C-alpha cells in the first residue's frame, strides 16, 4: 500500500510540496479571486464530491488551482459505515479524480450516508460496538485497497447516541486506527459539538487522542440552538473551540490545520483571518517551546 | 444488531415513516439532555431536508424567483424525500423535479395560473445538466470521410450535454427575463409549439431556438437512428444540409458506423 504522503512518481504539477500550516477549504465562490490574486495560502482542501464532473468548467478550474497550490481531497460519499455494498462507481470516479489532480491525501467520515440504495447526503451516525468496529475497519481496508492508499477518517458531529454502543467514540477510533490502518482527521469543532450535545468533557476527550495518528485538524463554526449545537459550518470558529485547539497544540503543533466554512460563506479575506488566527496560535506555541 | 439499528435510523428519517418504525428507532437511542430521542432524529431529518432543498434552489433559481423562496421551500419539503436519490452526486439530484412540478400544477389551485412552470423547470434542469456534462470528443472528420467512401451507414451522435425541449409557452424568453430580473408583460401560450436545444459550448451552457424539423432531426440522432433512415424522410432535407453547422456548433460531436 502506498504512503499517504506526496506521490513519489513525477507529477504533472511539478514538485508536490507537503501539506503544512493552515489551509482553507476551497469554495466555488472564491475561486475566481484566488486565481486572479494567487494569495499566499499553503494548501487547499477540495470537496471532491463537488468536483466530480468529468467535463466542462469544474475540472478546468480545479486544474488551474492545482497548478499553484498543493491540495487534499475531502469526501462525503464513501459511506464508510454503510451496510450497503461499496459504491464502486463512486470509488472508480474518485480514483480518476485522484489520478487527475494528485491530492496529497484523501479523507472521509466515520459515518454512513447511503442505505438501501438511498443517498441521504448527510453524515449519519452509527452505534459503537465491537461488531461495527470490525465491520467498518474491514470496509475502510477495502476502500484503501481500491484507492491504493491509506485514507484519513474524520470524527463526525452527532445529535444521538445509541443504547447499543458499548464503546466510547474515542475507544472506537483507537480500534479503527489499529484495525483499519487508516489515519485520523481530527475535527476539533466536532469534538466540542458532540461533548456539548452528549454531556462529555471535551478536554478529557482531546487528551485521549492518539497523537501520532492525527494527520490533519479541522476547525469550523457551529450554530447554537437552545438544546443543542448544530455543526453547520456557517460561523467563525467559536472561542471554546479555539481554546481546545490551543490545548491540543500544546501536545502537537506540527499537524496541518484546515478552516472549513461551507454555509453563509464570507469574503475570502474573512476566511484568511481565521487561518491567520490558527497560525498565530501555532507560532506562539512554537515560541513557547523554544523558550 | 448494528445494521438493523442503522436501517431503523435511516428509515425513520423519511417523513412517511410508520409510527411503529419511528418508535422502534427511538427505542435504540439514548435518552439524554433536554431533547427526546424523536427530537434528536428530527435534527437529522431537518438537516437532510434543508440541504436537499438548498441543492434544488441552486438548480432551479428562476422557479424559486417565481414562486418565492418560502413557497418553494414548503412545496419541495416532501418532494426531496420522494425524489430519486440513487446517485451519490448531488448534482444529479432533482432531475425529476419538472415532472413533480407538473403534478403540482395540475392539483394545486395556487399554481393554476402558472402552467408553464414544468417546462421552465425542464429548461433549468437541462441548463444545469449541460454545465456538468462530460466533455465531447473532437469531431473526427477524416474518419467520417473514410467511412463515407466505404458507403457504410452511420449514426451521428449528439453532444453529451444536448437536451431537446418543446414547449407551448415562451419559456426561453421567460427564463431570460427572469435571469435578468425583468417581469414579462404577458405569459400567454404561444401560437405554435416552440422548440429549443440546450447544450454546452466550451464551458458555457447555451439555449437556442430550433425550427421543428431541425428539432426532429436532432431528436432522431439522439435516439440512435441511422442517417439513411433519417434521410428517407423528405422533410429532413433542410436539417441534413445543416449537418456541417451542427458539427461546427458542437451539437453533433461524433459518429459511429452501424
Ligand atoms: Fe470537518
Amino acid at each position: 500500500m502506498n504512503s499517504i504522503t506526496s506521490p513519489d512518481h513525477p507529477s504533472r504539477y511539478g514538485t508536490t510540496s507537503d501539506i503544512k500550516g493552515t489551509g482553507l477549504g476551497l469554495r466555488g465562490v472564491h475561486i475566481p479571486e484566488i486565481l486572479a490574486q494567487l494569495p499566499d495560502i499553503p494548501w487547499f482542501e477540495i470537496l471532491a464530491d463537488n468536483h466530480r464532473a468529468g467535463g466542462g468548467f469544474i475540472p478546468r478550474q480545479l486544474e488551474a488551482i492545482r497548478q499553484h497550490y498543493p491540495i487534499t481531497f475531502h469526501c462525503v460519499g464513501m459511506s464508510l459505515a454503510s451496510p450497503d455494498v461499496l459504491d464502486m462507481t463512486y470509488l472508480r470516479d474518485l480514483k480518476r479524480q485522484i489520478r487527475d489532480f494528485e491530492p496529497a491525501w484523501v479523507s472521509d467520515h466515520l459515518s454512513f450516508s447511503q442505505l438501501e440504495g438511498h443517498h441521504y447526503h448527510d453524515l449519519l451516525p452509527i452505534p459503537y460496538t465491537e461488531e461495527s468496529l470490525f465491520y467498518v475497519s474491514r470496509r475502510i481496508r477495502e476502500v484503501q485497497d481500491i484507492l491504493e492508499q491509506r485514507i484519513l477518517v474524520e470524527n463526525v458531529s452527532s445529535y444521538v447516541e445509541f443504547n447499543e454502543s458499548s464503546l466510547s467514540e474515542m475507544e472506537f477510533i483507537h480500534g479503527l486506527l489499529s484495525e483499519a490502518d487508516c489515519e485520523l482527521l481530527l475535527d476539533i469543532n466536532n469534538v466540542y459539538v458532540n461533548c456539548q450535545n452528549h454531556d462529555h468533557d471535551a478536554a478529557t476527550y482531546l487528551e485521549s487522542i492518539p497523537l501520532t495518528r492525527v494527520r490533519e485538524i479541522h476547525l469550523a463554526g457551529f450554530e447554537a440552538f437552545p438544546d443543542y449545537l448544530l455543526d453547520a459550518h456557517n460561523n467563525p470558529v467559536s472561542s471554546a473551540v479555539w481554546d481546545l485547539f490551543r490545548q491540543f497544540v500544546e501536545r502537537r503543533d506540527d499537524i496541518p490545520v484546515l478552516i472549513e466554512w461551507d454555509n453563509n460563506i464570507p469574503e475570502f479575506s474573512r476566511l484568511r483571518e481565521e487561518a491567520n488566527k490558527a497560525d498565530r496560535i501555532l507560532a506562539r506555541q512554537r515560541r513557547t517551546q523554544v523558550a | 444488531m448494528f445494521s438493523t439499528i442503522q436501517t431503523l435510523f435511516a428509515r425513520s428519517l423519511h417523513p412517511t415513516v410508520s409510527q411503529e418504525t419511528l418508535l422502534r428507532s427511538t427505542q435504540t437511542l439514548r435518552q439524554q439532555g433536554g431533547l427526546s430521542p424523536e427530537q434528536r432524529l428530527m435534527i437529522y431529518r431537518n438537516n437532510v431536508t434543508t440541504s436537499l432543498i438548498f441543492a434544488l434552489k441552486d438548480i432551479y433559481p428562476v422557479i424559486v424567483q417565481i414562486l418565492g423562496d418560502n413557497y418553494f421551500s414548503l412545496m419541495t419539503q416532501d418532494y426531496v424525500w420522494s425524489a430519486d436519490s440513487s446517485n451519490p452526486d448531488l448534482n444529479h439530484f432533482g432531475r425529476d423535479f419538472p415532472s413533480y412540478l407538473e403534478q403540482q400544477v395540475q392539483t394545486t389551485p395556487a399554481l393554476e395560473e402558472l402552467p408553464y412552470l414544468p417546462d421552465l423547470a425542464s429548461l433549468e434542469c437541462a441548463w444545469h445538466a449541460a454545465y456538468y456534462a462530460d466533455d465531447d470528443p473532437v469531431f473526427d472528420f477524416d474518419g467520417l470521410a473514410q467511412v463515407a467512401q466505404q458507403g457504410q451507414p452511420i449514426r451521428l451522435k449528439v453532444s453529451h450535454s444536448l437536451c431537446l425541449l418543446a414547449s407551448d409557452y415562451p419559456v426561453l424568453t421567460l427564463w431570460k427575463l427572469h435571469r435578468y430580473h425583468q417581469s414579462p408583460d404577458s405569459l400567454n401560450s404561444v401560437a405554435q409549439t416552440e422548440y429549443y436545444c440546450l447544450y454546452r459550448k466550451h464551458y458555457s451552457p447555451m439555449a437556442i431556438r430550433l425550427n421543428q424539423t431541425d428539432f426532429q432531426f436532432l431528436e432522431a440522432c439522439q435516439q440512435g437512428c441511422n442517417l439513411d433512415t433519417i434521410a428517407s424522410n423528405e422533410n429532413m432535407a433542410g436539417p441534413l444540409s445543416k449537418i456541417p453547422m451542427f458539427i461546427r456548433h458542437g451539437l453533433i460531436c461524433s459518429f459511429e458506423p452501424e
Side-chain angles (χ1 to χ4, degrees), chain A residues 52 55-57 60 81 83 112 116 119-121 125-126 131-132 135 158-159 161-165 198, chain B residues 1-2 5-6 9-11 14 27-30 32 40 44 47-48 85-86 88-90 131 135 200 203:
Chain A
R52 287 186 75 202
F57 191 53
R60 299 295 93 76
F112 72 104
E116 300 179 300
H119 290 270
Y120 291 85
H121 303 285
I126 58 163
E131 183 200 1
S132 61
Y135 177 81
S158 81
Y159 313 100
E161 287 186 330
F162 294 92
N163 291 322
E164 183 84 0
S165 289
H198 306 307
Chain B
M1 222 184 82
F2 159 61
I5 292 172
Q6 280 177 290
F9 184 89
R11 285 184 186 169
H14 293 254
Q27 283 167 349
T28 68
L29 302 178
R30 274 186 197 156
Q32 49 184 188
R40 290 177 178 276
Y44 285 96
N47 284 350
V48 174
S85 274
S86 59
D89 190 344
L90 204 48
Y131 186 77
D135 288 333
R200 189 179 72 224
Y203 297 138

Side-chain angles (χ1 to χ4, degrees), chain A residues 74 109 154 185 187 190 218 233 260:
Chain A
H74 194 41
H109 302 80
E154 176 178 350
L185 194 173
D187 188 313
N190 291 349
H218 271 183
H233 292 193
E260 289 185 295

Side-chain angles (χ1 to χ4, degrees), chain A residues 78-87 110-116 126-143 167 172 175-176 179-180, chain B residues 1-4 6-7:
Chain A
M78 290 185 206
S79 209
L80 292 171
S82 172
D84 282 8
V85 291
L86 281 174
D87 185 339
L110 176 51
S111 61
F112 72 104
S113 53
Q114 178 198 347
L115 206 144
E116 300 179 300
I126 58 163
Y128 298 130
T129 64
E130 294 294 343
E131 183 200 1
S132 61
L133 174 60
F134 179 79
Y135 177 81
V136 179
S137 303
R138 197 189 60 206
R139 230 168 122 89
I140 292 175
R141 282 198 307 271
E142 277 172 32
V143 167
L167 302 169
F172 192 90
L176 207 60
E179 291 300 313
Chain B
M1 222 184 82
F2 159 61
S3 63
T4 315
Q6 280 177 290
T7 305

Side-chain angles (χ1 to χ4, degrees), chain A residues 87-106:
Chain A
D87 185 339
M88 292 308 293
T89 310
Y90 178 89
L91 291 171
R92 265 195 299 270
D93 280 354
L94 179 58
K95 215 171 165 180
R96 167 186 58 79
Q97 290 177 283
I98 293 170
R99 189 198 59 217
D100 291 350
F101 299 106
E102 301 178 8
W105 60 69
V106 180

